[in-house]
Coordinates of all heavy atoms in Angstrom, one line a residue:
M20 N -0.8 -1.2 -175.7 CA -0.9 -1.7 -174.4 C 0.2 -1.2 -173.4 O -0.1 -0.9 -172.3 CB -0.7 -3.3 -174.5 CG -0.8 -4.0 -173.2 SD -2.5 -3.9 -172.6 CE -2.5 -5.4 -171.6
I21 N 1.4 -1.0 -173.9 CA 2.5 -0.5 -173.1 C 2.2 1.0 -172.7 O 2.4 1.4 -171.6 CB 3.8 -0.6 -173.8 CG1 4.2 -2.0 -173.9 CG2 4.9 0.2 -173.1 CD1 5.4 -2.3 -174.8
I22 N 1.6 1.7 -173.6 CA 1.2 3.1 -173.3 C 0.2 3.2 -172.2 O 0.3 4.0 -171.3 CB 0.7 3.8 -174.6 CG1 1.9 3.9 -175.6 CG2 0.2 5.2 -174.3 CD1 1.5 4.4 -177.0
I23 N -0.8 2.3 -172.3 CA -1.8 2.3 -171.2 C -1.2 2.0 -169.9 O -1.5 2.6 -168.9 CB -2.9 1.3 -171.6 CG1 -3.7 1.8 -172.8 CG2 -3.9 1.1 -170.4 CD1 -4.7 0.7 -173.4
I24 N -0.4 1.0 -169.8 CA 0.3 0.6 -168.5 C 1.1 1.8 -168.0 O 1.1 2.1 -166.8 CB 1.1 -0.7 -168.7 CG1 0.2 -1.8 -169.0 CG2 2.0 -0.9 -167.5 CD1 0.9 -3.1 -169.4
Y25 N 1.9 2.4 -168.9 CA 2.7 3.6 -168.5 C 1.8 4.7 -167.9 O 2.1 5.3 -166.9 CB 3.5 4.1 -169.6 CG 4.3 5.4 -169.3 CD1 5.4 5.3 -168.6 CD2 3.8 6.6 -169.7 CE1 6.1 6.4 -168.2 CE2 4.5 7.8 -169.4 CZ 5.6 7.7 -168.6 OH 6.3 8.8 -168.3
F26 N 0.7 5.0 -168.6 CA -0.3 6.0 -168.2 C -0.8 5.7 -166.8 O -0.9 6.6 -165.9 CB -1.4 6.1 -169.2 CG -2.4 7.2 -168.8 CD1 -2.1 8.5 -169.0 CD2 -3.7 6.8 -168.3 CE1 -3.1 9.5 -168.6 CE2 -4.6 7.8 -167.9 CZ -4.3 9.1 -168.1
I27 N -1.2 4.5 -166.5 CA -1.7 4.1 -165.2 C -0.6 4.3 -164.2 O -0.9 4.8 -163.1 CB -2.2 2.6 -165.3 CG1 -3.5 2.6 -166.1 CG2 -2.5 2.1 -163.9 CD1 -4.0 1.2 -166.4
L28 N 0.6 3.8 -164.4 CA 1.6 3.9 -163.4 C 2.0 5.3 -163.2 O 2.3 5.7 -162.1 CB 2.9 3.1 -163.9 CG 2.7 1.5 -163.9 CD1 3.9 0.9 -164.4 CD2 2.4 1.0 -162.5
F29 N 2.1 6.1 -164.3 CA 2.4 7.5 -164.1 C 1.4 8.3 -163.2 O 1.7 9.0 -162.3 CB 2.5 8.2 -165.5 CG 2.8 9.7 -165.4 CD1 4.0 10.2 -165.1 CD2 1.7 10.6 -165.6 CE1 4.3 11.5 -165.1 CE2 1.9 11.9 -165.5 CZ 3.2 12.4 -165.2
N30 N 0.1 8.0 -163.5 CA -0.9 8.7 -162.7 C -0.9 8.2 -161.3 O -1.2 9.0 -160.4 CB -2.3 8.5 -163.3 CG -2.5 9.4 -164.5 OD1 -2.0 10.5 -164.6 ND2 -3.3 8.9 -165.5
L31 N -0.7 6.9 -161.0 CA -0.6 6.4 -159.7 C 0.5 7.1 -158.9 O 0.4 7.5 -157.8 CB -0.4 4.9 -159.7 CG -0.3 4.2 -158.3 CD1 -1.6 4.4 -157.5 CD2 0.0 2.7 -158.5
N32 N 1.7 7.1 -159.6 CA 2.9 7.8 -158.9 C 2.6 9.2 -158.7 O 2.9 9.8 -157.6 CB 4.1 7.6 -159.8 CG 5.3 8.1 -159.1 OD1 5.5 7.9 -157.9 ND2 6.2 8.7 -159.9
R33 N 1.9 9.9 -159.6 CA 1.6 11.3 -159.4 C 0.6 11.5 -158.2 O 0.8 12.4 -157.4 CB 1.0 11.9 -160.7 CG 0.9 13.4 -160.6 CD 0.4 14.0 -161.9 NE -1.1 13.8 -161.9 CZ -1.9 13.9 -162.9 NH1 -1.3 14.1 -164.1 NH2 -3.2 13.8 -162.8
T34 N -0.3 10.6 -158.1 CA -1.3 10.7 -156.9 C -0.5 10.5 -155.6 O -0.8 11.2 -154.7 CB -2.4 9.6 -157.1 OG1 -3.1 9.8 -158.3 CG2 -3.3 9.6 -155.9
V35 N 0.4 9.5 -155.6 CA 1.2 9.3 -154.3 C 2.0 10.6 -154.0 O 2.0 11.0 -152.9 CB 2.1 8.1 -154.5 CG1 3.1 8.0 -153.3 CG2 1.2 6.8 -154.6
Q36 N 2.6 11.2 -155.0 CA 3.4 12.4 -154.8 C 2.6 13.5 -154.3 O 3.0 14.3 -153.4 CB 4.1 12.8 -156.1 CG 5.2 11.8 -156.5 CD 6.3 11.6 -155.5 OE1 6.7 12.6 -154.8 NE2 6.7 10.4 -155.3
E37 N 1.3 13.7 -154.8 CA 0.5 14.8 -154.4 C 0.1 14.7 -152.9 O -0.1 15.7 -152.3 CB -0.8 14.8 -155.3 CG -0.6 15.2 -156.7 CD -1.9 15.1 -157.5 OE1 -3.0 14.8 -156.9 OE2 -1.8 15.3 -158.7
H38 N 0.0 13.4 -152.4 CA -0.5 13.2 -151.1 C 0.7 12.7 -150.2 O 0.4 12.2 -149.1 CB -1.6 12.2 -151.1 CG -2.8 12.7 -151.9 ND1 -3.6 13.7 -151.5 CD2 -3.3 12.3 -153.1 CE1 -4.5 14.0 -152.4 NE2 -4.4 13.1 -153.3
L39 N 1.9 12.9 -150.6 CA 3.0 12.4 -149.8 C 3.0 12.8 -148.3 O 3.2 12.0 -147.5 CB 4.3 13.0 -150.5 CG 5.6 12.4 -150.0 CD1 5.7 10.9 -150.3 CD2 6.8 13.2 -150.7
P40 N 2.7 14.1 -148.0 CA 2.7 14.4 -146.5 C 1.6 13.6 -145.8 O 1.9 13.3 -144.6 CB 2.4 15.9 -146.5 CG 2.8 16.4 -147.9 CD 2.6 15.3 -148.8
R41 N 0.5 13.4 -146.4 CA -0.5 12.6 -145.7 C -0.1 11.2 -145.5 O -0.4 10.6 -144.5 CB -1.8 12.7 -146.5 CG -2.4 14.1 -146.5 CD -3.6 14.1 -147.4 NE -4.3 15.4 -147.3 CZ -5.2 15.8 -148.1 NH1 -5.6 15.1 -149.1 NH2 -5.8 17.0 -147.9
F42 N 0.5 10.5 -146.5 CA 1.0 9.2 -146.3 C 2.0 9.1 -145.2 O 2.0 8.1 -144.4 CB 1.5 8.6 -147.6 CG 0.5 8.3 -148.7 CD1 0.6 8.8 -149.9 CD2 -0.5 7.3 -148.4 CE1 -0.4 8.5 -150.9 CE2 -1.4 7.0 -149.4 CZ -1.4 7.6 -150.6
I43 N 2.9 10.1 -145.2 CA 3.9 10.1 -144.1 C 3.2 10.2 -142.7 O 3.6 9.5 -141.8 CB 4.9 11.3 -144.3 CG1 5.7 10.9 -145.6 CG2 5.7 11.5 -143.1 CD1 6.6 12.1 -146.0
Q44 N 2.2 11.1 -142.6 CA 1.5 11.3 -141.3 C 0.8 10.0 -140.9 O 0.8 9.7 -139.7 CB 0.6 12.5 -141.4 CG 1.3 13.8 -141.4 CD 0.4 15.0 -141.4 OE1 -0.6 15.0 -140.6 NE2 0.6 15.9 -142.3
I45 N 0.2 9.4 -141.8 CA -0.5 8.1 -141.5 C 0.5 7.1 -141.0 O 0.3 6.4 -139.9 CB -1.3 7.5 -142.7 CG1 -2.5 8.4 -143.1 CG2 -1.7 6.1 -142.5 CD1 -3.1 8.1 -144.4
G46 N 1.6 6.9 -141.7 CA 2.6 6.0 -141.2 C 3.2 6.3 -139.9 O 3.4 5.4 -139.0
L47 N 3.4 7.6 -139.6 CA 3.9 8.0 -138.3 C 2.9 7.7 -137.2 O 3.2 7.3 -136.1 CB 4.3 9.5 -138.3 CG 5.5 9.8 -139.2 CD1 5.8 11.3 -139.2 CD2 6.8 9.1 -138.6
R48 N 1.6 7.9 -137.5 CA 0.6 7.6 -136.5 C 0.5 6.1 -136.2 O 0.2 5.7 -135.1 CB -0.8 8.2 -136.9 CG -0.9 9.7 -136.8 CD -2.3 10.2 -136.6 NE -2.2 11.6 -136.5 CZ -2.2 12.5 -137.4 NH1 -2.1 12.1 -138.7 NH2 -2.1 13.8 -137.2
I49 N 0.6 5.3 -137.2 CA 0.6 3.9 -137.0 C 1.8 3.5 -136.1 O 1.6 2.7 -135.2 CB 0.7 3.1 -138.4 CG1 -0.6 3.3 -139.2 CG2 1.0 1.6 -138.2 CD1 -0.6 2.9 -140.6
A50 N 2.9 4.0 -136.4 CA 4.1 3.7 -135.6 C 3.9 4.2 -134.1 O 4.2 3.5 -133.2 CB 5.4 4.4 -136.1
Y51 N 3.2 5.4 -134.0 CA 3.0 5.9 -132.6 C 2.1 4.9 -131.8 O 2.4 4.6 -130.7 CB 2.3 7.3 -132.7 CG 1.7 7.8 -131.4 CD1 2.5 8.3 -130.4 CD2 0.3 7.7 -131.2 CE1 2.0 8.7 -129.2 CE2 -0.2 8.1 -130.0 CZ 0.6 8.6 -129.0 OH 0.1 9.0 -127.8
Y52 N 0.9 4.5 -132.4 CA 0.0 3.6 -131.7 C 0.6 2.2 -131.5 O 0.4 1.6 -130.5 CB -1.3 3.5 -132.5 CG -2.2 4.7 -132.3 CD1 -2.4 5.6 -133.3 CD2 -2.8 5.0 -131.0 CE1 -3.2 6.8 -133.1 CE2 -3.5 6.1 -130.8 CZ -3.8 7.0 -131.9 OH -4.5 8.1 -131.7
R53 N 1.5 1.8 -132.5 CA 2.1 0.5 -132.3 C 3.1 0.5 -131.1 O 3.0 -0.3 -130.2 CB 2.9 0.1 -133.5 CG 3.7 -1.2 -133.4 CD 4.5 -1.5 -134.7 NE 5.4 -0.5 -135.1 CZ 6.6 -0.2 -134.5 NH1 7.0 -0.9 -133.5 NH2 7.4 0.7 -135.0
K54 N 3.8 1.6 -131.0 CA 4.8 1.7 -129.8 C 4.0 2.0 -128.5 O 4.4 1.4 -127.5 CB 5.8 2.8 -130.1 CG 6.7 2.5 -131.2 CD 7.6 3.7 -131.6 CE 8.4 3.4 -132.8 NZ 9.2 4.5 -133.3
L55 N 2.9 2.7 -128.6 CA 2.1 3.0 -127.4 C 1.6 1.7 -126.9 O 1.5 1.5 -125.6 CB 1.0 3.9 -127.8 CG 0.1 4.4 -126.6 CD1 0.9 5.4 -125.7 CD2 -1.1 5.2 -127.2
N56 N 1.3 0.7 -127.7 CA 0.8 -0.6 -127.3 C 1.9 -1.6 -127.2 O 1.6 -2.8 -127.1 CB -0.2 -1.1 -128.4 CG -1.5 -0.4 -128.2 OD1 -2.4 -0.8 -127.5 ND2 -1.7 0.7 -129.0
E57 N 3.1 -1.1 -127.2 CA 4.3 -2.0 -126.9 C 4.4 -3.2 -127.8 O 4.6 -4.3 -127.4 CB 4.4 -2.4 -125.4 CG 4.5 -1.2 -124.5 CD 4.5 -1.6 -123.1 OE1 4.3 -2.7 -122.7 OE2 4.8 -0.7 -122.2
M58 N 4.2 -2.9 -129.1 CA 4.3 -4.0 -130.1 C 5.4 -3.7 -131.1 O 5.7 -2.5 -131.4 CB 3.0 -4.1 -130.9 CG 1.8 -4.5 -130.2 SD 0.3 -4.7 -131.2 CE 0.6 -6.2 -132.0
T59 N 6.0 -4.8 -131.6 CA 7.0 -4.6 -132.6 C 6.3 -4.6 -134.0 O 5.2 -5.0 -134.1 CB 8.0 -5.8 -132.6 OG1 7.3 -7.0 -132.9 CG2 8.7 -5.9 -131.2
Q60 N 7.1 -4.3 -135.0 CA 6.5 -4.3 -136.3 C 6.1 -5.7 -136.7 O 5.1 -6.0 -137.3 CB 7.5 -3.7 -137.3 CG 7.6 -2.2 -137.3 CD 8.6 -1.7 -138.3 OE1 9.5 -2.4 -138.8 NE2 8.4 -0.4 -138.6
D61 N 7.0 -6.7 -136.3 CA 6.7 -8.1 -136.6 C 5.4 -8.5 -135.9 O 4.6 -9.2 -136.6 CB 7.8 -9.0 -136.1 CG 9.1 -8.9 -137.0 OD1 9.0 -8.5 -138.2 OD2 10.2 -9.2 -136.5
Q62 N 5.2 -8.1 -134.7 CA 4.0 -8.5 -134.0 C 2.7 -7.9 -134.6 O 1.7 -8.6 -134.8 CB 4.1 -8.1 -132.5 CG 5.1 -8.9 -131.7 CD 5.3 -8.3 -130.3 OE1 5.3 -7.0 -130.2 NE2 5.7 -9.1 -129.4
L63 N 2.8 -6.6 -134.9 CA 1.6 -6.0 -135.5 C 1.3 -6.6 -136.9 O 0.2 -6.9 -137.2 CB 1.8 -4.5 -135.6 CG 0.8 -3.7 -136.4 CD1 -0.6 -3.9 -135.7 CD2 1.1 -2.2 -136.4
A64 N 2.3 -6.7 -137.7 CA 2.2 -7.3 -139.0 C 1.5 -8.7 -139.0 O 0.6 -8.9 -139.7 CB 3.5 -7.4 -139.8
E65 N 2.0 -9.5 -138.1 CA 1.4 -10.8 -138.0 C -0.1 -10.8 -137.5 O -0.9 -11.5 -138.0 CB 2.2 -11.7 -136.9 CG 1.7 -13.1 -136.9 CD 2.6 -13.9 -135.9 OE1 3.8 -13.7 -135.8 OE2 2.0 -14.8 -135.3
R66 N -0.4 -9.9 -136.6 CA -1.7 -9.8 -136.1 C -2.8 -9.4 -137.1 O -3.9 -9.8 -137.1 CB -1.8 -8.8 -134.9 CG -1.0 -9.3 -133.7 CD -1.8 -10.2 -132.8 NE -3.0 -9.8 -132.3 CZ -3.3 -9.1 -131.1 NH1 -2.2 -8.8 -130.4 NH2 -4.5 -8.8 -130.7
I67 N -2.3 -8.5 -138.1 CA -3.3 -8.0 -139.1 C -3.1 -8.6 -140.4 O -3.8 -8.3 -141.4 CB -3.2 -6.4 -139.2 CG1 -1.8 -6.0 -139.6 CG2 -3.6 -5.8 -137.8 CD1 -1.8 -4.5 -140.0
G68 N -2.2 -9.5 -140.6 CA -2.0 -10.3 -141.8 C -1.3 -9.6 -143.0 O -1.7 -9.8 -144.1
I69 N -0.3 -8.8 -142.6 CA 0.6 -8.2 -143.6 C 2.0 -8.6 -143.3 O 2.3 -9.1 -142.2 CB 0.4 -6.7 -143.7 CG1 0.8 -6.0 -142.4 CG2 -1.0 -6.3 -144.1 CD1 0.8 -4.5 -142.4
T70 N 2.9 -8.3 -144.2 CA 4.3 -8.6 -143.9 C 5.0 -7.4 -143.1 O 4.5 -6.3 -143.2 CB 5.2 -8.7 -145.2 OG1 5.2 -7.5 -145.9 CG2 4.6 -9.8 -146.1
S71 N 6.0 -7.8 -142.3 CA 6.6 -6.7 -141.6 C 7.4 -5.8 -142.5 O 7.6 -4.6 -142.2 CB 7.6 -7.4 -140.5 OG 8.5 -8.2 -141.1
K72 N 7.8 -6.3 -143.6 CA 8.5 -5.4 -144.6 C 7.6 -4.3 -145.1 O 7.9 -3.1 -145.2 CB 9.0 -6.2 -145.8 CG 9.7 -5.4 -146.8 CD 10.3 -6.2 -148.0 CE 10.9 -5.3 -149.0 NZ 11.4 -6.0 -150.2
Y73 N 6.3 -4.7 -145.4 CA 5.3 -3.7 -145.9 C 5.0 -2.7 -144.8 O 5.0 -1.5 -145.0 CB 4.1 -4.4 -146.3 CG 2.9 -3.5 -146.7 CD1 3.0 -2.7 -147.8 CD2 1.8 -3.4 -145.8 CE1 1.9 -1.8 -148.1 CE2 0.8 -2.6 -146.1 CZ 0.8 -1.8 -147.2 OH -0.2 -0.9 -147.5
L74 N 4.8 -3.2 -143.5 CA 4.6 -2.3 -142.4 C 5.7 -1.3 -142.2 O 5.5 -0.1 -142.0 CB 4.3 -3.1 -141.1 CG 4.0 -2.3 -139.9 CD1 2.8 -1.4 -140.1 CD2 3.8 -3.2 -138.7
S75 N 6.9 -1.8 -142.3 CA 8.1 -0.9 -142.2 C 8.1 0.1 -143.2 O 8.4 1.3 -142.9 CB 9.4 -1.8 -142.3 OG 10.5 -0.9 -142.3
Q76 N 7.7 -0.2 -144.5 CA 7.6 0.8 -145.5 C 6.5 1.8 -145.2 O 6.7 3.0 -145.5 CB 7.4 0.1 -146.9 CG 8.5 -0.7 -147.4 CD 8.2 -1.5 -148.6 OE1 7.1 -1.7 -148.9 NE2 9.3 -1.9 -149.3
V77 N 5.4 1.4 -144.7 CA 4.3 2.3 -144.4 C 4.8 3.3 -143.3 O 4.5 4.5 -143.3 CB 3.1 1.5 -143.9 CG1 2.0 2.5 -143.3 CG2 2.5 0.8 -145.1
E78 N 5.5 2.8 -142.3 CA 5.8 3.6 -141.1 C 7.0 4.5 -141.4 O 7.2 5.5 -140.7 CB 6.2 2.7 -139.9 CG 5.0 2.1 -139.3 CD 5.4 1.3 -138.0 OE1 6.6 1.2 -137.7 OE2 4.4 0.8 -137.4
T79 N 7.9 4.2 -142.3 CA 9.1 4.9 -142.6 C 8.9 6.2 -143.5 O 8.5 6.0 -144.6 CB 10.2 4.0 -143.2 OG1 10.4 2.9 -142.4 CG2 11.5 4.8 -143.4
P80 N 9.1 7.4 -143.0 CA 8.8 8.6 -143.8 C 9.6 8.7 -145.1 O 9.1 9.3 -146.0 CB 9.2 9.7 -142.8 CG 9.2 9.1 -141.5 CD 9.5 7.7 -141.6
S81 N 10.8 8.1 -145.1 CA 11.6 8.2 -146.3 C 11.2 7.2 -147.4 O 11.8 7.2 -148.5 CB 13.1 8.1 -146.0 OG 13.3 6.8 -145.4
C82 N 10.3 6.3 -147.0 CA 9.9 5.2 -147.9 C 8.4 5.1 -148.0 O 7.8 4.3 -147.4 CB 10.5 3.8 -147.5 SG 10.1 2.5 -148.6
V83 N 7.8 6.1 -148.6 CA 6.3 6.2 -148.6 C 5.6 5.1 -149.3 O 6.0 4.8 -150.4 CB 5.9 7.6 -149.2 CG1 4.4 7.7 -149.3 CG2 6.5 8.7 -148.4
Q84 N 4.7 4.5 -148.6 CA 4.0 3.3 -149.1 C 2.5 3.6 -148.9 O 2.1 3.7 -147.7 CB 4.4 2.1 -148.5 CG 3.7 0.8 -148.9 CD 4.0 0.4 -150.3 OE1 5.2 0.6 -150.8 NE2 3.1 0.0 -151.0
P85 N 1.6 3.7 -149.9 CA 0.2 3.8 -149.6 C -0.3 2.6 -148.9 O 0.2 1.5 -148.9 CB -0.4 3.9 -151.1 CG 0.7 4.3 -151.9 CD 1.9 3.7 -151.3
I86 N -1.4 2.9 -148.1 CA -2.0 1.8 -147.3 C -3.5 1.7 -147.6 O -4.2 2.7 -147.9 CB -1.8 2.1 -145.8 CG1 -2.3 1.0 -144.9 CG2 -2.4 3.5 -145.4 CD1 -1.9 1.2 -143.5
S87 N -4.0 0.5 -147.7 CA -5.4 0.3 -148.0 C -6.3 0.6 -146.8 O -5.8 0.5 -145.6 CB -5.6 -1.2 -148.4 OG -5.5 -2.1 -147.3
L88 N -7.5 0.9 -147.0 CA -8.5 1.1 -145.9 C -8.6 -0.2 -145.1 O -8.8 -0.2 -143.9 CB -9.8 1.5 -146.5 CG -9.9 3.0 -147.0 CD1 -11.2 3.3 -147.6 CD2 -9.5 3.9 -145.9
K89 N -8.6 -1.3 -145.8 CA -8.7 -2.6 -145.1 C -7.6 -2.8 -144.0 O -7.9 -3.1 -142.9 CB -8.6 -3.8 -146.1 CG -8.7 -5.2 -145.5 CD -8.5 -6.2 -146.6 CE -8.4 -7.6 -146.0 NZ -8.1 -8.6 -146.9
T90 N -6.4 -2.4 -144.4 CA -5.3 -2.5 -143.5 C -5.4 -1.5 -142.4 O -5.2 -1.8 -141.2 CB -4.0 -2.4 -144.2 OG1 -3.9 -3.4 -145.2 CG2 -2.8 -2.4 -143.3
L91 N -5.8 -0.3 -142.8 CA -6.0 0.8 -141.8 C -7.1 0.5 -140.8 O -6.9 0.7 -139.6 CB -6.3 2.1 -142.5 CG -6.3 3.4 -141.6 CD1 -4.9 3.7 -141.1 CD2 -6.9 4.5 -142.4
F92 N -8.2 -0.1 -141.2 CA -9.2 -0.5 -140.3 C -8.8 -1.6 -139.4 O -9.2 -1.6 -138.2 CB -10.5 -0.9 -141.1 CG -11.2 0.2 -141.8 CD1 -12.0 -0.1 -142.9 CD2 -11.0 1.5 -141.5 CE1 -12.7 0.9 -143.6 CE2 -11.6 2.6 -142.2 CZ -12.5 2.3 -143.2
A93 N -8.0 -2.5 -139.9 CA -7.5 -3.7 -139.1 C -6.6 -3.1 -137.9 O -6.7 -3.6 -136.8 CB -6.8 -4.7 -139.9
I94 N -5.8 -2.1 -138.3 CA -4.9 -1.5 -137.3 C -5.7 -0.8 -136.2 O -5.5 -0.9 -135.0 CB -3.9 -0.6 -137.9 CG1 -2.9 -1.5 -138.8 CG2 -3.1 0.2 -136.9 CD1 -2.0 -0.7 -139.7
A95 N -6.7 0.0 -136.7 CA -7.5 0.8 -135.8 C -8.3 -0.1 -134.9 O -8.4 0.1 -133.7 CB -8.5 1.7 -136.6
D96 N -8.9 -1.2 -135.4 CA -9.6 -2.1 -134.6 C -8.7 -2.8 -133.5 O -9.1 -2.9 -132.4 CB -10.3 -3.2 -135.4 CG -11.4 -2.7 -136.3 OD1 -11.9 -1.6 -136.1 OD2 -11.8 -3.4 -137.2
L97 N -7.5 -3.2 -133.9 CA -6.6 -3.8 -133.0 C -6.3 -2.9 -131.8 O -6.2 -3.4 -130.7 CB -5.4 -4.3 -133.8 CG -4.3 -5.0 -132.9 CD1 -4.8 -6.4 -132.4 CD2 -3.0 -5.2 -133.7
F98 N -6.1 -1.7 -132.1 CA -5.7 -0.7 -131.1 C -6.9 0.0 -130.4 O -6.7 0.9 -129.6 CB -4.7 0.3 -131.7 CG -3.4 -0.2 -132.1 CD1 -2.7 0.2 -133.2 CD2 -2.8 -1.3 -131.4 CE1 -1.5 -0.3 -133.6 CE2 -1.5 -1.8 -131.8 CZ -0.9 -1.3 -132.9
H99 N -8.1 -0.4 -130.9 CA -9.3 0.3 -130.3 C -9.3 1.8 -130.5 O -9.5 2.5 -129.5 CB -9.5 -0.1 -128.9 CG -9.5 -1.6 -128.6 ND1 -10.6 -2.4 -129.1 CD2 -8.6 -2.4 -128.1 CE1 -10.3 -3.7 -128.8 NE2 -9.1 -3.7 -128.2
V100 N -8.9 2.2 -131.7 CA -8.8 3.6 -132.0 C -9.7 3.9 -133.2 O -9.7 3.1 -134.1 CB -7.3 4.0 -132.4 CG1 -7.2 5.4 -132.9 CG2 -6.4 3.7 -131.3
P101 N -10.5 4.9 -133.2 CA -11.4 5.2 -134.3 C -10.5 5.5 -135.6 O -9.4 6.1 -135.5 CB -12.1 6.5 -133.9 CG -11.9 6.6 -132.5 CD -10.7 5.9 -132.1
P102 N -10.8 4.9 -136.7 CA -10.0 5.0 -137.9 C -9.7 6.5 -138.3 O -8.6 6.8 -138.8 CB -10.8 4.3 -139.0 CG -11.7 3.4 -138.3 CD -12.0 4.0 -136.9
H103 N -10.6 7.4 -138.0 CA -10.4 8.8 -138.4 C -9.2 9.4 -137.7 O -8.6 10.3 -138.2 CB -11.7 9.6 -138.1 CG -12.0 9.9 -136.7 ND1 -11.4 10.9 -136.0 CD2 -12.8 9.3 -135.8 CE1 -11.8 11.0 -134.8 NE2 -12.7 9.9 -134.6
K104 N -8.8 8.8 -136.5 CA -7.6 9.3 -135.9 C -6.3 9.2 -136.7 O -5.4 10.0 -136.6 CB -7.3 8.6 -134.5 CG -8.4 8.9 -133.5 CD -8.2 10.3 -133.0 CE -9.1 10.6 -131.8 NZ -9.0 11.9 -131.4
F105 N -6.3 8.3 -137.6 CA -5.2 8.1 -138.5 C -5.2 9.1 -139.7 O -4.3 9.2 -140.5 CB -5.1 6.7 -139.1 CG -4.8 5.7 -138.0 CD1 -5.8 5.0 -137.4 CD2 -3.5 5.4 -137.6 CE1 -5.6 4.0 -136.4 CE2 -3.3 4.5 -136.6 CZ -4.3 3.8 -136.0
L106 N -6.4 9.7 -139.9 CA -6.6 10.5 -141.1 C -6.8 12.0 -140.7 O -7.3 12.8 -141.5 CB -7.9 10.0 -141.8 CG -7.8 8.6 -142.3 CD1 -9.1 8.2 -142.9 CD2 -6.7 8.4 -143.4
E107 N -6.4 12.4 -139.5 CA -6.5 13.8 -139.1 C -5.1 14.3 -139.4 O -4.1 14.0 -138.8 CB -6.8 13.9 -137.6 CG -8.2 13.5 -137.3 CD -8.5 13.4 -135.8 OE1 -7.5 13.5 -135.0 OE2 -9.7 13.3 -135.4
F108 N -5.0 15.2 -140.4 CA -3.8 15.7 -140.9 C -3.4 17.1 -140.3 O -4.3 18.0 -140.2 CB -3.8 15.8 -142.4 CG -4.1 14.4 -143.0 CD1 -5.3 14.2 -143.7 CD2 -3.2 13.4 -142.9 CE1 -5.6 12.9 -144.2 CE2 -3.5 12.1 -143.4 CZ -4.7 11.9 -144.1
D109 N -2.1 17.3 -140.1 CA -1.6 18.6 -139.8 C -1.8 19.5 -141.0 O -1.7 19.1 -142.1 CB -0.2 18.6 -139.4 CG 0.1 17.7 -138.2 OD1 -0.8 17.5 -137.4 OD2 1.2 17.2 -138.0
K110 N -2.1 20.8 -140.7 CA -2.2 21.7 -141.8 C -0.8 22.0 -142.5 O 0.2 22.0 -141.8 CB -2.7 23.1 -141.3 CG -4.1 22.9 -140.7 CD -4.9 24.1 -140.9 CE -6.2 23.8 -140.1 NZ -7.4 24.1 -140.8
D111 N -0.8 22.1 -143.8 CA 0.5 22.3 -144.5 C 1.0 23.6 -144.3 O 0.4 24.6 -144.1 CB 0.3 22.0 -146.0 CG -0.1 20.6 -146.3 OD1 0.3 19.7 -145.5 OD2 -0.8 20.3 -147.3

């Protein structure tokens, strides 16, 4: 059982590491649209039903936090931005 849990966590961490630049770009875009709409992290988090601590982790490049599509869609809907705008990545 412990080996299975370790394998799952190891693969999840590896997946996050493989896509690190993309997670960072998503977080920076969320921060951009939040500031463009003159909202604080607390205000945005409350409006979409997440904690401000989690939102801070998503937006901070040095603290990469994956984000669910549900959360991404809620942010896109709130700012009236097509969700694909958050998923347009700069070339490496």
Side-chain angles (χ1 to χ4, degrees):
M20 181 71 155
I21 293 174
I22 293 172
I23 293 171
I24 292 171
Y25 175 78
F26 179 75
I27 291 169
L28 292 175
F29 176 77
N30 282 329
L31 178 62
N32 188 39
R33 192 175 81 199
T34 300
V35 170
Q36 291 301 318
E37 287 174 9
H38 300 290
L39 189 65
R41 291 177 175 166
F42 286 122
I43 290 171
Q44 288 182 47
I45 291 169
L47 292 173
R48 284 204 179 87
I49 291 169
Y51 168 78
Y52 283 109
R53 177 180 57 76
K54 292 172 185 176
L55 187 67
N56 285 273
E57 299 179 348
M58 292 182 80
T59 66
Q60 287 180 336
D61 288 335
Q62 291 169 329
L63 175 55
E65 185 176 326
R66 295 278 302 270
I67 63 170
I69 62 174
T70 66
S71 57
K72 180 180 178 182
Y73 173 69
L74 180 58
S75 175
Q76 291 173 342
V77 168
E78 288 186 356
T79 304
S81 62
C82 182
V83 176
Q84 179 69 37
I86 185 170
S87 72
L88 287 175
K89 177 183 172 185
T90 301
L91 188 67
F92 292 159
I94 293 169
D96 290 347
L97 180 66
F98 294 144
H99 306 289
V100 175
H103 72 85
K104 290 291 187 183
F105 295 95
L106 301 173
E107 293 174 348
F108 303 111
D109 298 335
K110 300 210 184 226
D111 296 332

